[in-house]
Amino acid sequence: QQHASRIDHRRKAVAFPRCPGLRLRKDTRTMCIVNGCTAQPNGRSPYCATHRKRWRRHGDAQQQTIRVTDLKVYRHTVSGILDRNKNGKIMAVMTANWEKVIAYARGELEQYRKGRPSQRQLRRACEELVKLADGTTVRDLLEVGLAMFLMREWDGRKFTSDRGFTFQLTRRVRALTDLNVGTHYNHVTGKVNRTYRDLPPKVTTLLADVLIGYLSRAAAHVISIAKKDWEEEQRKSCEVDEAFAELET
């Protein structure tokens, strides 16, 4: 009898659901969760097909692409800061650290070729690191990577989330080499267009973790120096204003 009551209780719960959250979830599944989007969700994803693709490609459904032109001013600032180091100690240290990262990546790939089991995402991330080492210079890598950190500090609204920042950092660094860019002919315009080759989200996350670990300490110093330069410019502007204030009164 006790067993039968449990069965009746379960049947009653199924026939007459009392949880309002269940009905609320069913209603919210009829639209994409991005504000202002009324499209149908794509499968089990809470996003529609367009926003799901953007989430996989850019790290966030509402993250906009950071282009070369957006990064130009910040890269120029970083380049000026690096040029102040006349003895080249900064580049020597950062180059040595980068070589350690690449040595680890090459070692992982070599062990995989010898037959040792390896995680697919980790192996793909190591391949991307080797591509960067072969296709770009440490100076370009530093300028672009540190410029991204500087942009997040000065114009944080460009990034909708931390995941959006990490994905954009990876995209901009990978764009330094043509090995990560494909081409196709556009029959409408008659031109050859370049297309960025996306990585799987898990591989992008692994690659971003390596880049952030390599750049984060240097980025903190660059941001500090850039702030001091800005404060010095503001102080000089105030001195000019005070000098002319006596004539205006």
Side-chain angles (χ1 to χ4, degrees), residues 30-41 48 51:
T30 60
M31 289 192 303
C32 176
I33 64 173
V34 176
N35 291 336
C37 181
T38 58
Q40 294 284 338
C48 64
H51 285 113

Side-chain angles (χ1 to χ4, degrees), residues 28-230:
T28 55
R29 291 280 296 166
T30 60
M31 289 192 303
C32 176
I33 64 173
V34 176
N35 291 336
C37 181
T38 58
Q40 294 284 338
N42 183 20
R44 294 179 179 270
S45 172
Y47 300 108
C48 64
T50 301
H51 285 113
R52 183 174 184 274
K53 182 179 179 181
R54 178 163 288 276
W55 178 85
R56 288 178 56 86
R57 188 176 190 184
H58 297 282
D60 193 282
Q62 295 178 292
Q63 175 65 51
Q64 298 298 318
T65 306
I66 303 298
R67 305 186 183 280
V68 177
T69 53
D70 300 328
L71 210 60
K72 185 176 181 180
V73 175
Y74 303 98
R75 185 172 180 177
H76 178 74
T77 302
V78 172
S79 179
I81 293 174
L82 295 178
D83 289 339
R84 298 182 197 177
N85 186 235
K86 301 300 182 182
N87 58 8
K89 186 175 181 179
I90 293 177
M91 289 302 305
V93 171
M94 297 304 294
T95 300
N97 291 342
W98 181 244
E99 289 176 352
K100 293 178 182 178
V101 173
I102 300 305
Y104 169 79
R106 295 185 188 277
E108 286 288 327
L109 295 177
E110 183 63 25
Q111 290 297 322
Y112 172 73
R113 296 189 188 99
K114 291 181 179 179
R116 192 190 73 177
S118 176
Q119 187 182 14
R120 180 176 56 184
Q121 290 84 359
L122 177 60
R123 185 173 69 251
R124 182 74 183 276
C126 290
E127 292 173 352
E128 293 299 321
L129 287 171
V130 173
K131 284 183 182 180
L132 283 175
D134 296 338
T136 187
T137 63
V138 178
R139 175 64 183 244
D140 290 338
L141 175 65
L142 283 176
E143 288 184 2
V144 172
L146 296 177
M148 287 293 294
F149 278 91
L150 194 60
M151 172 185 279
R152 186 177 67 167
E153 180 68 23
W154 284 358
D155 196 4
R157 60 184 179 179
K158 291 281 189 181
F159 306 101
T160 55
S161 63
D162 291 339
R163 191 173 189 270
F165 168 75
T166 56
F167 272 56
Q168 292 305 305
L169 171 65
T170 305
R171 286 174 61 86
R172 286 269 48 92
V173 170
R174 290 185 70 235
L176 288 172
T177 171
D178 289 337
L179 296 176
N180 299 313
V181 177
T183 58
H184 68 276
Y185 181 76
N186 191 328
H187 294 275
V188 177
T189 61
K191 297 180 180 179
V192 177
N193 296 336
R194 293 164 55 90
T195 305
Y196 176 84
R197 294 174 179 170
D198 292 304
L199 291 174
K202 291 183 178 180
V203 179
T204 302
T205 301
L206 287 174
L207 186 57
D209 290 342
V210 175
L211 293 174
I212 291 174
Y214 170 66
L215 295 169
S216 57
R217 293 186 68 86
H221 291 289
V222 168
I223 291 172
S224 177
I225 294 172
K227 284 184 177 181
K228 290 180 180 179
D229 292 344
W230 181 82

